Amino acid sequence: MSVVALKPRTASLLEAKIGNLYQTAKAQPQIKCEEKHHFGPNLYIKEVTMPTGALIIGKHHRMEHLCNMVSGRMIVMDEQGNKKELVAPMTFMAKPGRKIAYIIETVVFQNIYSTPETDIEKLENMCVDNSKDFLLEGN
């Protein structure tokens, strides 16, 4: 019989670290990011303004979608630990998953989805995973 040892997935280890960060951050005073919702024919745009100095721990996005960074500058890290600086203006496709951002200069950011839905609550559940409390013990 042979024994196989597998290295833990980096994403799992990172998820646990993000979970610890989230639990610590949740105990701190929270900021309110301004949200706006825009609709067009089969189009939903969620626009968020994030202030300088904020640490943003995003929800897990269910699907690939278009993003438009209207203004500002931030450093973003994905679930695999990849980091990059984003400087507006820019448009790009975002992969499913969760991101963390540190806001260097106030950011106006738009998530853009193709859907005829206009109910904000339904859109929230359709676009992001709200099925469990956010990142408990790395889940």
Side-chain angles (χ1 to χ4, degrees), residues 5 12-13 46 53 60 62 85-86 89 99-100 118:
S12 295
L13 295 173
K46 180 176 182 178
H60 182 93
R62 295 183 187 271
E85 183 175 354
L86 303 181
K99 282 69 168 188
I100 296 176
T118 58

Side-chain angles (χ1 to χ4, degrees), residues 14-26 135 137-138:
L14 188 59
E15 278 287 312
K17 290 180 181 180
I18 294 170
N20 290 336
L21 174 63
Y22 176 76
Q23 293 304 322
T24 301
K26 190 166 82 168
L135 287 174
E137 301 302 318

Side-chain angles (χ1 to χ4, degrees), residues 48-56 67-77 83-88 90 92 94 99-111:
V48 180
T49 301
M50 299 171 278
T52 300
L55 176 66
I56 307 295
C67 294
N68 188 27
M69 192 164 146
V70 178
S71 61
R73 189 165 65 118
M74 65 181 166
I75 297 178
V76 176
M77 183 174 72
K83 290 182 271 185
K84 61 181 157 184
E85 183 175 354
L86 303 181
V87 180
M90 65 185 301
F92 60 94
K99 282 69 168 188
I100 296 176
Y102 175 73
I103 310 304
I104 299 168
E105 295 171 2
T106 297
V107 169
V108 175
F109 195 88
Q110 298 174 331
N111 291 296

